[in-house]
């Protein structure tokens, strides 16, 4: 695993990103370390835990999640589409005398309006999340670490993305100082 | 969904202090024990069950083929009994489906911790039940090859549209929405577990396969923060959805003029019935599953007991529904309603089914007043099966019994199912079981991530009650 | 090396997602477009008949009125294909040697009907009535196209329910004086809309869109 | 159009009817196309026959709308494939799949009177039981598709019977005999003629001593003439007419009373009090259409309303209409007649000599006295009708009473019998003896299937094999054909020329609508063969005869007359003059019938066995007609069966339930049949219908349906006898019954009665409870949204049905089936409750099951304005038209059956299976091209014959007029002999239907659930005799 400054690959000129991946024993340790290292301002941080650990958002300094807004949008769109569709089809385009019922009878439109709202809201929640999360992304440099396999079982990891031209060593050292049980430096693959 | 209320909640939680996870567990041990049944090769028992399920599934295929070839005449339906097994099964399966969403969504919103051990299981059941249900609306039409797309609001060259005042049109939207949302909800919850499957699998092929489905999940803190909301909102949406779906299904009947159908109590009592049958079905499958998959330490007797309580409650709601139907029939003074409830149901040709229903749905659940019964696996299992039977009979009563004697005595006719009807019913059970067994084989039956989280959280509470509610948002 | 996926797989994943989504949407959209193409409607496809009957020649060159052969069009639901006899009204005098007309003569002598191939067809469950349309001033050309320009007849209009409804909702643009029924070149002088409204008045045109108007 | 109103409409109608231009060819013109390419008259080989048939059937491919259906046999299957195709992605956008190319087959020479796409109407006649009823046949491109009554015919008056309505199906029956064969060999007509010629010459030698003809009783002048000429040539030959449905009594009775065989003709429109002695005059017989019309006409509540007393063993259509009904064993009725005469004698001296006639039983004196007084109160306007099943004595007494009460000449007139001699068992007996004695060498049978219908003790089947030459002229390869040497396929009534005489003597020319589909031959031709005229066409025969009847007539003049006869359907001035009968010699009569009665009343006791003609299959000749087989029995509503009908009490006493199969042991014979308990049946009596249990080799539909009661029917007791024993066999039988419930509240629920009835007194009293209740059952109900306003549309279609007129004769049901291409579903599917008739006649019993009152309630779609079926359809397949019709677009239907579930009247019918795609080419010819032939999985229902509405609308719109009341009739309305159904626009204040809707007896079915039906019902009225006022 190469140390020191970035070395562009001769042939392609591709500049690999480099990560420092640090494993911690407990979620509390991770939480602590994250807060510290972020204050130290070492590159861009991310944590990898088997389940959500309360407080990490704050520690990572994440903003308000976007999902709720997206879902709200979906719901409104769904309801609007549904009602206008029904109105167009049964009132505007071809109003038919259905057993003396008025062409536009709001009560009859409620169920579909609601269902479509839910459908679009739910879908936007699901697809919204994966879009925001840039998933599916089968490859990510952190996967190169053998020990990272613990991340979904019982390992609590912190990954630090090293800025262009900087050396990972400082970050690695800092992580160790914060009590990481295992630290390694990962270089992104080209293809 | 912040920490404070949830932790407060925890302390006042009626379930506390009880063991939701038995023994001293670590994340690792949970991981292994819960994935164990996936790693373990299929045993003889599994293959035997799978064999039965497959043969029943074969019956389904035969039934469907014959129906398409011969027409609805292959069934026992007639005029006046235009709907029979087809719709009965549809409503029955949809109802069963509801427990899953209810457990995963509503209990989630109510922060019932005990749900975590059974929600994955129940959600899967929802999916499969809904798949079974979805067969019928299409299959029961006279010309499915048209029904398949004429029900959709698309711009056709005929320039004619669906008729949006019909409950059947509502059904199309309700059921398809319900299926989609349940699927998304289930899958979203599954992703982290798939990741742990990917990472803890031994063989590379398995890792790649699970890896594909895990979509490259890496437990990133940035993801978790959005994920929690996405999951929570899906739960939030599913809650009204699950209520609306069975409400709309009940409209198929409530909106009509037929005595026995034409009643306003249907929506609530259909939903209660759905939950009732749903929990019964979960129990029916959960009890053997925890036995053979070694999940006793996470699906404790406490879980079963809670389910019994729910069954008792919903069972009594259903009973209330029955009483109300009769009361209103009497109170309205409508001779046709009275005829339906006081003559036909109790004394008509379908009397047997009606009495079975009353026994299974009203009498049987009463044993759950006793803790002995609530905590005796055998009793629960047997009772839950009876309840499934009872709920099927309920649907038979609503659909067939109401139809076969309505307004004009001149049009009264009896009804008898054919072998096709019966094989279709058994067939769907086969389909359900097949899917379920596959699910047990390839996907963790319990939401590992959530159980771990729960463990972690309870550990924290043990140490310092101040921390630890956060998971509440998720657990 | 336990790495499962490599960077290129990310691209692959995204592409495959795109393909699935686009395929589903494109497929459905495509079908809807297809259903509206002349091909799907069987239009623009001249049909080979047992006898090379040339409408262009008979109507344009000889100036024979459509109703000479389709002589029940104004009093019956069916315009009717002329009996062999009718062909021979003329062709016993002219072209009575032409080998092209052998099948006609044979039909007459052997008393076997000529089996024409159907060009314009509405489904079994549609009850179209020529008489009422013709008597209310809907010209042949409106539904059959420029038959007078067809060496071999082809379906001139889609004849879908949408097509019928369109006219039954707004008949004006397809109305003409009853005297001009068979005239393929007739154009309203002045604003078509206005002329149409006037004609609708004159001919007492009351189009209906109730199902049983066409389906019984 | 009824006879008594709307003259000008009727005239127009008549103009529309076509007479057939004189053609010398056998082929009538409308079917020139068929004729042109028709099958050769006789076959050399089966292949040739098949080929010819194919052509003949192919000939109908002109393309009117719906012509596609003509070739349905294939089309529907193609259509079905398209449906399947539609499930493929290609079609998933609005059935976009391209059609496979199709052929259009025009005429070679189109008959000038024929406009492809427009139907023609021809007046013709059909004779059953020897008497004609005048019909109008509708023909599309030379294919008869529908039968109506001829309004100008004195005996039909525009009404029809179920059997006449079903004739069309019989025409296209592929089971019909198609080969002229001798032994097993198919042979040629020419050959047959040569043989006959030779034989005739041989027979002439001994004056035709060995020559016998077994024929249907017929009043046809032409047949009579042929008969005379044959007898002239063969003086020793004999004609024997036989029909199992006619009885010796009917002809004998009047002879006893008046000294000569006479036919009684009843004018019920003059009758205020009617007594039926076992006479089902509303349910069977040549008087049915006219009697029904006249009877119904006098049902209007008021002082002039008639009152009907019925005395009968098994509940009949007539019994169902009775104001007072006395159930009684058939064998007791003679005694009853005697008792009645005795009662009448007290006030009617003319009857005094008859007062002392012997009686076996004692009867409800109160009843008899009330009846007698009623009869006497209305002297000259009362009538006693004796049933065909009763012995001569009863007919004689009826005649005596009518004479004594001065009814002869007003309510009953007597006509000379057109038949020579009787056509009952007696006549046949003579022939049988001849055969047994070996005196018969050549037997020509044109009677319908006598081997099956003849009394069993004649053993006709075996005997025929002894006859050297037997020639059978029949429609099917039936039981008789099986034992006859030569089989000549008979023409269907719609295929042949001829003439026929109605009961009142009026003659009609029978003209064909189509050339024989499979090369069959007319009875006239067969007889003519014995005059060496067999090569003369039936058309020529009848023309020659009538030309001969008008001496000094120039051909031209005759042609003109002939034209008119054909157009009108009747020959003017041919009605017979009533005979002025002598006064009845009471003493003489008393002595004659005294002995007879003594014999009758001295019968052994025990269970009574009574035979009856099946109201649908008649004597079995219609057993291969699926429409009639699936027609619900007017009282029991069972289909595809006959049954051992028995009263509840008797069944209990014997320990039987409905469905138990029992052996009927009578004398030394026995037959097995299923018990069917029937309300209102006389105790200690059993009624079985004839005409079932057919075994004709060629009759695939008739085969094995029901049981053959004929095998215990003997010549000395053709209708009634005692001494029957029932023995349980242990088998069970499941009837195919379309109405499983008897009463209007089977489980005792308190719902308002669907069919309302009241006594005349209640109806006439404005303030009565009856009127209050009816007020509740009509008029507007509170609703949350404004009812659509139909007052501005041109037509607001509506219907009214008068329960006081409907006799439940089923004519409307079959008329609807024929008009709307309604399929039959078969016994098994009727059992499952999937019968398809769009209009059903609900029959409700009330009162004690032993002596119930009956109401018939015809029920088709009532076209609710707030239709519950519509708002539940997900695809807009059933919606409302601008004129308020509840439309059903079959092609849009996906078959969810939700509409049917939500229909409170359950009048929707569903194609559970594929009932139509297997139609043969012939069957397809019979379908109405104006109506879609529905596919599998599609819902269907009555739409007030919308195809007729639209046709009429278009005709009038082209003509620039509007549809006048009475110009447009639905099929059920037109078929109804009672005129119980009215149809028209409710926006036309003058329209009959509008008046009916305003009637005080009007009410809406299930009005309380707010469906606002367009069909209104008028309550049934019972004209109770105050002396008999409800104690029973």
């Amino acid at each position: 695993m190469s140390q020191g400054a970035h070395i562009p690959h001769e042939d392609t000129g591709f500049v690999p990103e480099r990560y420092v991946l640090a494993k911690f024993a407990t979620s509390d340790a991770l939480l602590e370390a994250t807060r510290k290292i972020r204050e130290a301002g070492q590159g861009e941080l991310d944590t990898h835990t088997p389940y959500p650990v309360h407080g990490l958002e704050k520690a990572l300094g994440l903003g308000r999640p976007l999902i709720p807004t997206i879902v709200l949008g979906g719901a409104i769109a769904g309801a609007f589409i549904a009602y206008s569709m029904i109105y167009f089809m049964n009132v505007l385009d071809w109003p038919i005398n259905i057993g003396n019922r008025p062409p536009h009878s709001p009560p009859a439109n409620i169920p579909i309006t609601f269902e479509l709202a839910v459908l679009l809201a739910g879908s936007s929640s699901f697809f919204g999340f994966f879009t925001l999360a840039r998933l599916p992304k089968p490859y990510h440099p952190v996967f190169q670490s053998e020990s990272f396999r613990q991340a979904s079982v019982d390992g609590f990891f912190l990954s630090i993305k090293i800025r262009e031209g900087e050396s990972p060593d400082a970050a690695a050292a800092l992580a160790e100082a914060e009590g990481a049980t295992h630290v390694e430096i990962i270089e992104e693959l080209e293809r | 969904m912040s920490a404070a209320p949830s932790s407060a909640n925890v302390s006042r939680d009626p379930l506390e202090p009880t063991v939701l996870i038995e023994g001293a567990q670590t994340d690792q041990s949970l991981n292994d024990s819960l994935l164990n049944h996936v790693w373990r090769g299929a045993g003889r028992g599994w293959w035997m069950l799978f064999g039965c399920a497959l043969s029943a599934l074969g019956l389904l295929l035969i039934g469907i083929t014959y129906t398409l070839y011969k027409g609805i005449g292959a069934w026992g339906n007639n005029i006046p009994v235009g709907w029979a097994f087809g719709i009965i099964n549809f409503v029955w399966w949809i109802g069963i489906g509801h427990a899953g969403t209810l457990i995963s969504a509503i209990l989630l919103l109510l922060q019932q911790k005990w749900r975590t051990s059974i929600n994955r299981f129940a959600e899967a059941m929802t999916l499969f039940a809904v798949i079974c249900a979805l067969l019928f609306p299409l299959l029961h039409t006279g010309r499915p090859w048209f029904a398949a797309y004429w029900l959709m609001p698309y711009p056709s060259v005929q320039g004619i549209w669906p008729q949006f005042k019909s409950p059947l049109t509502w059904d199309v939207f309700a059921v398809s929405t319900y299926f989609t949302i349940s699927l998304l909800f289930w899958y979203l919850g599954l992703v982290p577990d798939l990741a742990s499957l990917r990472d803890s699998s031994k063989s590379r092929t398995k890792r790649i396969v699970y890896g594909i489905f895990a979509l490259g999940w890496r437990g990133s803190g940035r993801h978790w923060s959005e994920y929690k909301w996405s999951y929570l909102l899906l739960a939030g949406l599913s809650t009204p959805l699950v209520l609306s779906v069975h409400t709309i299904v009940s409209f198929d009947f409530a909106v009509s003029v037929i005595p026995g159908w034409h009643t306003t109590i249907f929506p609530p009592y259909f939903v209660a019935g759905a939950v009732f049958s749903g929990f019964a079905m979960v129990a029916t499958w959960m009890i053997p599953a925890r036995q053979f998959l070694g999940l006793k330490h996470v699906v404790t007797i406490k879980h079963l007991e809670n389910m019994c309580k729910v069954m008792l409650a919903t069972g009594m709601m259903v009973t209330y529904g029955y009483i109300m139907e009769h009361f209103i029939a009497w109170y309205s003074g409508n001779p046709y309603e009275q005829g339906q409830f006081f003559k036909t149901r109790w004394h008509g040709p379908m009397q047997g089914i009606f009495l079975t229903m009353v026994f299974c749905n009203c009498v049987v659940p009463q044993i759950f007043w006793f803790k002995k019964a609530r905590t005796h696996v055998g009793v629960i299992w047997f009772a839950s099966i009876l309840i499934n039977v009872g709920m099927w009979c309920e649907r038979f009563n609503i659909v067939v019994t109401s139809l076969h004697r309505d307004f004009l005595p001149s049009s009264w006719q009896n009804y008898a199912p054919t072998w096709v009807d019966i094989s279709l019913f058994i067939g769907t059970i086969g389909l359900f079981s097949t899917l379920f067994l596959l699910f047990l084989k390839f996907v963790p039956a319990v939401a590992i991530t959530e159980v771990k989280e729960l463990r972690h959280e309870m550990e924290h509470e043990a140490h310092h009650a101040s921390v630890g509610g956060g998971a509440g948002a998720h657990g | 090396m336990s790495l499962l996926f490599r960077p290129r797989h990310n691209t692959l994943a995204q592409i495959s997602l795109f393909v699935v989504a686009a395929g589903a949407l494109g497929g459905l959209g495509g079908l809807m477009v297809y259903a509206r193409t002349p091909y799907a409607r069987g239009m623009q496809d001249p049909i080979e008949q047992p006898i090379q009957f040339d409408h262009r020649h008979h109507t344009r060159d000889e100036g024979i009125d459509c109703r000479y052969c389709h002589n029940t069009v104004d009093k019956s639901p069916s315009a009717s294909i002329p009996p062999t006899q009718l062909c021979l009204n003329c062709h016993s005098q002219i072209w009575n040697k032409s080998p092209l007309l052998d099948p006609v003569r044979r039909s007459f002598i052997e008393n076997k009907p000529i089996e024409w191939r159907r060009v314009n067809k509405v489904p079994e469950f549609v009850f179209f009535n020529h008489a009422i349309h013709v008597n209310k001033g809907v010209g042949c050309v409106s539904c059959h196209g420029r038959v007078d320009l067809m060496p071999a007849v082809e379906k001139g209009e889609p004849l879908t329910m949408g097509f019928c409804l369109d006219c039954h909702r707004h008949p004006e643009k397809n109305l003409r004086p009853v005297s001009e029924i068979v005239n393929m070149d007739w154009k309203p002088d002045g604003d078509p809309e206005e002329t149409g409204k006037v004609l609708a008045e004159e001919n007492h045109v009351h189009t209906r869109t109730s199902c049983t108007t066409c389906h019984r | 159009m009824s006879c008594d109103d709307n003259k000008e409409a009727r005239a127009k109608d008549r103009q529309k009817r076509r007479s057939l231009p004189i053609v010398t060819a056998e082929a009538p013109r409308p079917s020139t196309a068929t004729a042109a390419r028709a099958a050769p008259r006789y076959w050399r080989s089966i292949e040739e026959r098949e080929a010819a048939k194919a052509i003949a059937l192919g000939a109908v491919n002109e393309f009117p709308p719906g012509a596609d259906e003509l070739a349905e046999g294939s089309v529907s299957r193609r259509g079905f494939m398209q449906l399947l195709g539609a499930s493929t992605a290609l079609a998933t956008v609005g059935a976009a799949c391209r059609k496979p190319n199709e052929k259009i087959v025009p005429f070679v020479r189109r008959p000038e009177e024929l406009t492809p796409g427009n139907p023609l109407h021809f007046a013709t006649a059909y004779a059953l039981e020897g008497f004609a009823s005048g019909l109008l046949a509708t023909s599309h491109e030379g294919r008869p598709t529908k039968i109506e009554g001829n309004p100008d015919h004195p005996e039909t008056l525009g009404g029809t019977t179920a059997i006449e309505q079903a004739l069309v199906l019989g025409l296209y029956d592929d089971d019909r005999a198609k080969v002229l064969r001798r032994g097993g060999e198919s042979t040629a007509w020419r050959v047959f003629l040569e043989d006959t010629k030779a034989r005739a010459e041989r027979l002439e030698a001994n004056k035709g001593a060995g020559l016998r003809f077994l024929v249907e009783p017929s009043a046809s002048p032409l047949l009579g003439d042929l008969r005379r000429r044959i007898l002239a040539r063969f003086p020793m030959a004999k004609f024997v007419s036989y029909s199992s449905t006619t009885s010796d009594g009917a002809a004998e009775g009047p002879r006893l009373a008046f000294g000569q065989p006479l036919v009684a003709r009843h004018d019920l429109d003059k009758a205020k009090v009617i007594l039926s002695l076992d006479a089902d005059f509303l349910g069977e017989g040549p008087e049915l259409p006219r009697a029904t019309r006249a009877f119904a006409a006098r049902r209007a509540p008021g002082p002039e309303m008639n009152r009907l007393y019925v005395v009968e063993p098994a509940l009949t259509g007539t019994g169902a209409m009775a104001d007072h009904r006395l159930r009684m064993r058939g064998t007791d009725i003679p005694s009853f007649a005697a008792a009645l005469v005795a009662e009448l004698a007290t006030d009617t001296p003319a009857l005094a000599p008859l007062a002392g006639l012997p009686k076996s039983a004692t009867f409800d004196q109160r009843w008899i006295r009330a009846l007698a007084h009623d009869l006497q109160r209305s002297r000259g306007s009362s009538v006693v009708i004796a049933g065909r099943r009763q012995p001569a004595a009863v007919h004689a007494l009826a005649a005596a009473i009518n004479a004594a009460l001065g009814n002869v000449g007003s309510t009953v007139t007597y006509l000379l019998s057109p038949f020579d001699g009787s056509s009952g068992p007696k006549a046949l007996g003579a022939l049988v003896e001849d055969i047994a004695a070996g005196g018969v060498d050549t037997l020509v049978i044109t009677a319908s299937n006598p081997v099956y219908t003849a009394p069993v003790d004649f053993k006709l089947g075996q005997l025929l094999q002894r006859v050297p030459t037997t020639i059978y002229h029949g429609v099917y390869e039936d039981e008789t054909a099986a034992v006859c040497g030569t089989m000549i396929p008979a023409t269907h009534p719609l295929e042949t020329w001829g003439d026929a005489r109605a009961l009142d003597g009026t003659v009609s020319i029978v003209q064909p609508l189509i050339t024989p589909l499979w090369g069959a031959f007319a009875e006239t031709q067969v007889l003519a063969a014995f005059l060496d005229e067999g090569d003369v066409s039936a058309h020529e025969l009848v023309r020659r005869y009538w030309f001969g009847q008008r001496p000094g007539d120039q051909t031209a003049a005759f042609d003109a007359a002939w034209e008119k006869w054909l157009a009108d359907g009747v020959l003017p001035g041919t009605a017979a003059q009533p005979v002025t009968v002598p006064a009845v010699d009471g003493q003489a009569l008393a002595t004659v019938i005294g002995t007879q009665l003594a014999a009758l009343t001295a019968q052994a006791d025990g269970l009574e066995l009574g035979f009856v003609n099946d109201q649908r299959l008649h004597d079995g000749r219609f057993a291969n007609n699926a429409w009639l087989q699936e027609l619900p029995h007017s009282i029991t509503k069972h289909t595809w069966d006959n049954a051992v009908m028995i009263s509840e009490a008797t069944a209990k006493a014997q320990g039987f339930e409905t469905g138990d199969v029992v052996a009927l042991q009578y004398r030394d014979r026995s037959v097995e049949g299923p018990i069917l308990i029937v309300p209102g049946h006389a105790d200690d009596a059993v009624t079985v219908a004839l005409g079932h249990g057919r075994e004709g080799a060629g009759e695939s539909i008739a085969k094995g349906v029901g049981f053959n009661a004929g095998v215990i029917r003997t010549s000395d007791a053709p209708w009634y006898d005692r001494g029957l024993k029932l023995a349980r066999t242990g088998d069970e039988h499941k009837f195919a019954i379309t109405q499983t419930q008897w009463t209007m509240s089977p489980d005792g629920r308190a719902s308002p009665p669907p069919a309302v009835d009241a006594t005349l007194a209640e109806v006439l009293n404005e303030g009565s409870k009856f009127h209050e209740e009816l007020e509740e059952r009509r008029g507007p109900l509170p609703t949350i949204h404004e009812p659509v306003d139909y007052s501005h549309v041109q037509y607001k279609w509506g219907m009214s049905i008068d329960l006081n007129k409907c006799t439940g004769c089923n004519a409307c049901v079959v008329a609807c089936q024929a008009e709307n291409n309604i399929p039959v579903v078969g016994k098994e599917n009727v059992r499952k409750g999937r019968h398809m008739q769009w209009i059903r006649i609900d029959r409700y019993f009330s009162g004690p099951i032993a002596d119930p009152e009956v109401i018939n309630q015809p029920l088709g779609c009532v076209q609710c304005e707030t239709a519950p079926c519509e708002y539940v359809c997900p695809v807009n397949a059933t919606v409302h038209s601008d004129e308020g019709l509840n439309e059903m677009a079959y092609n849009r239907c996906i078959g969810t059956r939700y509409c049917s579930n939500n229909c409170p009247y359950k009048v929707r019918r569903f194609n559970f299976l594929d009932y139509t795609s297997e139609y043969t080419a012939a069957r397809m010819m019979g379908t109405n091209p104006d109506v879609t032939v529905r596919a599998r999985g599609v819902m269907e229902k009555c739409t007030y014959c919308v195809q007729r509405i639209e046709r009429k609308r278009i005709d009038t719109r082209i003509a620039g007029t509007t549809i006048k009341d009475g110009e447009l009739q639905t099929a059920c309305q037109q078929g109804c002999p009672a005129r119980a159904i009215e149809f028209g626009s409710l926006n036309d204040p003058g329209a009959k239907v509008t008046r009916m809707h305003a009637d005080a007896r009007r009410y809406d079915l299930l009005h309380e659930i707010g469906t606002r039906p367009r069909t209104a019902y008028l309550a049934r009225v019972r004209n109770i005799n105050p002396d008999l006022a409800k104690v029973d």
Side-chain angles (χ1 to χ4, degrees), chain D residues 227-421:
Chain D
R227 174 184 308 195
R228 271 187 298 282
R229 288 164 58 201
I230 290 177
L231 290 177
R233 182 178 178 186
F234 310 98
M236 305 279 289
K238 282 209 189 72
F239 275 85
V240 177
S241 61
Y242 173 73
S243 153
S244 69
T245 63
T246 58
S247 81
D248 300 322
E252 181 67 359
R255 201 184 59 75
L256 295 175
F258 305 120
Q260 55 180 332
L262 296 170
V263 180
R265 182 174 188 269
H266 305 93
D267 293 320
L268 298 184
D269 38 11
K270 299 200 186 75
K272 196 163 182 311
V273 177
I274 306 167
L275 167 63
S276 151
L277 296 170
D278 194 15
D280 184 11
F281 57 90
L282 297 177
E284 63 177 8
E287 288 199 281
L288 189 160
R290 184 175 43 79
T292 308
R293 169 76 69 84
F295 174 78
R298 271 192 83 133
R299 289 304 284 178
E304 284 313 295
M305 179 178 179
N306 60 18
R307 179 178 294 142
L308 172 63
Y309 297 82
V310 176
V311 181
E312 64 183 3
L315 195 47
T316 64
T318 312
M321 293 304 287
D323 297 300
H324 294 287
R325 178 174 178 274
L326 195 59
R327 63 196 177 101
M328 180 182 298
R329 292 194 294 180
T331 43
D332 288 336
I333 289 178
S335 306
F336 177 86
L340 175 62
V341 172
E343 181 63 38
L344 285 165
T346 54
D347 299 348
T348 314
L351 293 171
L354 295 160
L357 293 168
K359 324 175 190 42
S360 64
T362 55
F363 308 98
D364 177 352
Q365 273 310 316
R366 179 162 158 276
W367 209 90
I368 294 187
R369 193 166 303 116
L371 167 60
H373 288 160
D374 216 6
L375 285 169
Q376 277 158 330
R377 261 201 301 274
S378 43
R379 290 170 181 275
S381 62
S382 60
V383 63
V384 179
I385 308 175
R388 61 159 53 132
R389 302 195 293 162
Q390 288 301 320
V394 176
H395 288 267
L397 287 175
I401 296 173
N402 285 328
L405 293 179
N407 298 332
V408 177
S410 73
T411 57
V412 55
T413 51
Y414 289 97
L415 307 166
L416 286 172
S417 167
F419 312 125
D420 31 18

Side-chain angles (χ1 to χ4, degrees), chain B residues 33-109:
Chain B
S33 58
L34 296 186
L35 289 180
N36 188 19
H37 67 91
V38 183
W39 303 147
R40 183 151 33 93
R44 201 194 290 102
W46 188 88
W47 279 114
M48 267 160 52
L49 286 175
F50 195 64
C52 304
L54 275 184
S55 41
L57 182 57
L59 216 53
L60 178 67
L61 297 181
I62 294 170
I64 292 178
T65 322
Y66 191 73
T67 307
L68 291 177
Y69 166 73
K70 207 89 173 97
I72 294 303
W75 300 3
N77 301 38
N78 61 19
I79 307 290
V81 186
W83 288 351
F85 267 46
I87 299 299
I88 297 171
N89 298 343
F90 167 68
V91 180
W92 191 65
W93 279 117
I94 279 282
I96 286 169
H98 282 45
T101 330
L102 183 101
I103 292 170
S104 47
I106 298 183
L107 295 191
L108 168 60
L109 295 182

Side-chain angles (χ1 to χ4, degrees), chain B residues 122 162 229 282 331 360 369 446 448 458:
Chain B
W229 278 98
V282 177
Y331 186 69
C360 295
W369 287 110
V446 174
I448 313 166
M458 287 169 16

Side-chain angles (χ1 to χ4, degrees), chain D residues 2-28:
Chain D
S2 75
C3 183
D4 44 80
D5 66 350
N6 216 320
K7 285 267 178 294
E8 132 254 14
R10 234 176 78 235
K12 214 180 291 146
D13 186 48
R14 201 184 300 105
Q15 288 152 19
K16 263 196 268 75
R17 264 179 262 150
R18 295 297 196 294
S19 70
L20 291 170
I22 307 91
V23 283
T24 44
E26 165 71 297

